[in-house]
Amino acid sequence: MINQTPTPAEVLGVPLVYSTRGGVVENVHAGHAAVVSASGELLAEAGDASIRTYMRSTAKPVQALPAIMGGVAEAYGLGDDAIALMCASHQGTPAHIEVLERMLAQTGVREEQLVFAPQLPVSREARDELLRRGGGPRKLYHVCAGKHIGMLALCKLRGWPMETYAEREHPLQQEVLRTVAALADLEPEAVGCAVDGCGLPVFALPLWRLALIYARFAAWDAAAGPGGAKGASPAGAERAGGGDTAAAAARIAAAMRRHPVLVEGPDRLASVLLGDGNVVAKSGAQGVFVFALRQEGIAGVVKLADGGETPWPEAVCGMLEQLGLGEDVVAAVRRSLPPEMVNDAGQVTGRREPCLRLSRIGRG
């Protein structure tokens, strides 16, 4: 259970990003940030790195681990594109739906078995085109459809009840909880649990431990590939299944990097970062974003107190600049997601600027 309930003032944190209009500061986006090594060392923070935070969709690569370790990909012939969709907050484009429909056909999971209600695509272009063609909502358009198909496929493979797969006490969700706890170096009872937007359990843990999970995913991914990585030993894997966990995590991270647009969509920060061969990244609802550098074996996480998303790119760029890392990554982010804000008339009205100040804790 969550053993600390943050107050509103504690959640507010410290200024991370501000936006200007006409040279005047118009908005300030506050929150918390942390930088962690794969070995579990908290390297830097802004605000409170220990603030209790719901993982939201940043949990998806971890939620996919039981299915990958359980042999779902081999049993049903799922490729890396399907693994990427199991970790995705997809935008409902034709490319996403093509893979999701193939996953249904390969696994035998039925669309109506997904626990949530039918949706329209998140992508405005995909939604407008669908409506022009006379289409309507369906469950595959839900941003979490791939994750749910993967979970149902594992239930089918193991003979677990499929009707109750989303319930907290279901064997699948208990296995996911144990996996989250182990990767975060926590006991399961120390992990908070509530209900996510898609109907599954959602887990809460100290913010820096979310970064720790991603640092380990990235380090294991790097260790599995050419050249290896500094600090890329399977630290932390023993409690979550040993080398099998590291291998499965590396496979998941590699699939996300091979199919960055499937993980989220064009012009999404996570997809831009995943397009760099050295980064593993994922967004979550209500202001949570996490990224990891494979070669360096470290990860950063940001939680915006207002639950927004638009400040993420500058928060991430500000963290990387202060760490003296990822110059090419920062340039790529600002090319794809410029800090300038443009109005409906095409005029630049202001810009977003990072103002977070990382306090160094480890490594000097």
Side-chain angles (χ1 to χ4, degrees), residues 163-333:
E163 297 80 7
T164 56
Y165 78 97
E167 295 181 6
R168 186 182 304 188
E169 298 306 318
H170 191 281
L172 167 65
Q173 302 306 335
Q174 288 298 301
E175 187 165 335
V176 171
L177 170 59
R178 289 191 294 271
T179 303
V180 168
L183 289 173
D185 284 350
L186 292 170
E187 296 300 325
E189 55 268 23
V191 178
C193 189
V195 182
D196 212 339
C198 64
L200 295 180
V202 61
F203 304 109
L205 65 172
L207 185 65
W208 73 270
R209 292 189 183 271
L210 173 53
L212 170 61
I213 291 172
Y214 271 74
R216 287 174 167 168
F217 263 72
W220 296 335
D221 179 23
K230 183 179 180 181
S233 63
E238 296 80 7
R239 294 183 60 218
D244 290 345
T245 299
R251 184 177 182 183
I252 289 168
M256 294 171 69
R257 291 188 296 104
R258 291 189 187 110
H259 300 279
V261 176
L262 290 182
V263 174
E264 295 207 7
D267 300 323
R268 292 285 297 173
L269 177 59
S271 293
V272 172
L273 290 171
L274 284 163
D276 182 279
N278 191 41
V279 184
V280 180
K282 185 70 186 71
S283 70
Q286 296 302 312
V288 183
F289 193 90
V290 61
F291 64 96
L293 305 180
R294 299 168 64 247
Q295 294 177 7
E296 293 79 3
I298 67 170
V301 62
V302 60
K303 162 63 177 174
L304 294 171
D306 61 8
E309 299 185 4
T310 54
W312 281 340
E314 285 309 305
V316 170
C317 287
M319 293 173 72
L320 289 171
E321 287 172 334
Q322 290 186 48
L323 294 168
L325 298 170
E327 183 177 343
D328 291 344
V329 175
V330 170
V333 168

Side-chain angles (χ1 to χ4, degrees), residues 12 43 88 92 130 143-144 150 211 218 231 243 254 275 282 306 319 325 334 344 362:
L12 185 60
L43 304 177
L130 175 71
V143 296
C144 299
K282 185 70 186 71
D306 61 8
M319 293 173 72
L325 298 170
R334 287 182 170 149
D344 295 338

